[in-house]
Structures are given as C-alpha cells and as structure tokens.
Amino acid sequence: MVGVAPLSWDTDIQADAQNYANQLAGACTLQHSQGPYGENLYMGYGDAAEVVGTWVGESHYYDPSSNQCISGQVCGHYTQVWCGRHPEGRLWLLPVQLWAYIVVCNYDPQGNWVGQRPF
C-alpha cells in the first residue's frame, strides 16, 4: 500500500511482545516497556485485528509530504505496527466490570524518530 518491501515475521520479537502483554495483564495498566523494540500498546475491547485496523486507520491523519500527523491528530501507531496478545486475550476491568484486551505490538527497527520518514 505504501511501497515498502514485504515484512518478515520474527519469533524473537513476537515472544518479547507476548511476554510483555502477559506482564501488563498482571499489572492492569499500560506503560511502555522501554525495551529494545518499537512498541504500540492497546487496552480495550475487540480482537487484535480490530485493534490493528484502528492503528492502520490513523493513515488518514499522516501527511507524507510533511512527514507529520495532521495537527491535533494521532498517527504514530500507523507508521509502525507488529503484534502479540495476552494468552487469555482478556482481563477483567474494574469498576466497570467488563472484559478488555491488552495488545502489545513490537517492531524492529524502532521508528517514529523526529525528522525521519517511517517508510
């Protein structure tokens, strides 16, 4: 869609994302891991495909000519996307008492550096 070479799956990156999703599920909070990979985080409702679809949907807010998000919008998730999910796929959120998903998406090399194009 954006003219980049095909991506390849990396089981080490997948394992790192999965391990961190498991940790976040125990903590019931979202905080970036500060690990060796780029990282997108999500906690909410819907399956992983919907989450990634939401991030890809940010493409409408990315202006390639300026290499920036449109003012007041978010597009950083769109420019780098890889994923893993907590094994049970959900956790119980209180006080609203609803099931929610934690999704951790890692990518390598890290990206979204100021002044560099994402692809």
Side-chain angles (χ1 to χ4, degrees):
M1 186 167 85
V2 295
V4 298
L7 301 175
S8 61
W9 192 259
D10 186 302
T11 56
D12 291 335
I13 295 174
Q14 174 191 9
D16 189 79
Q18 187 64 67
N19 289 336
Y20 194 58
N22 296 345
Q23 289 177 33
L24 289 176
C28 198
T29 185
L30 289 184
Q31 182 177 353
H32 285 284
S33 68
Q34 307 304 317
Y37 306 114
E39 186 173 72
N40 290 346
L41 303 175
Y42 173 87
M43 181 174 9
Y45 310 100
D47 62 26
E50 291 176 272
V51 173
V52 173
T54 299
W55 289 335
V56 171
E58 291 179 5
S59 65
H60 300 292
Y61 305 125
Y62 176 66
D63 177 12
S65 64
S66 68
N67 190 34
Q68 296 181 3
C69 299
I70 294 171
S71 180
Q73 300 297 329
V74 174
C75 68
H77 300 106
Y78 158 67
T79 56
Q80 305 276 344
V81 178
W82 286 86
C83 294
R85 188 176 79 173
H86 180 259
E88 284 78 40
R90 58 189 186 175
L91 62 131
W92 192 244
L93 283 182
L94 297 174
V96 293
Q97 299 182 354
L98 296 170
W99 288 108
Y101 290 88
I102 288 182
V103 178
V104 175
C105 295
N106 287 353
Y107 46 90
D108 188 33
Q110 293 183 1
N112 292 333
W113 302 112
V114 174
Q116 292 184 7
R117 296 196 171 275
F119 41 80

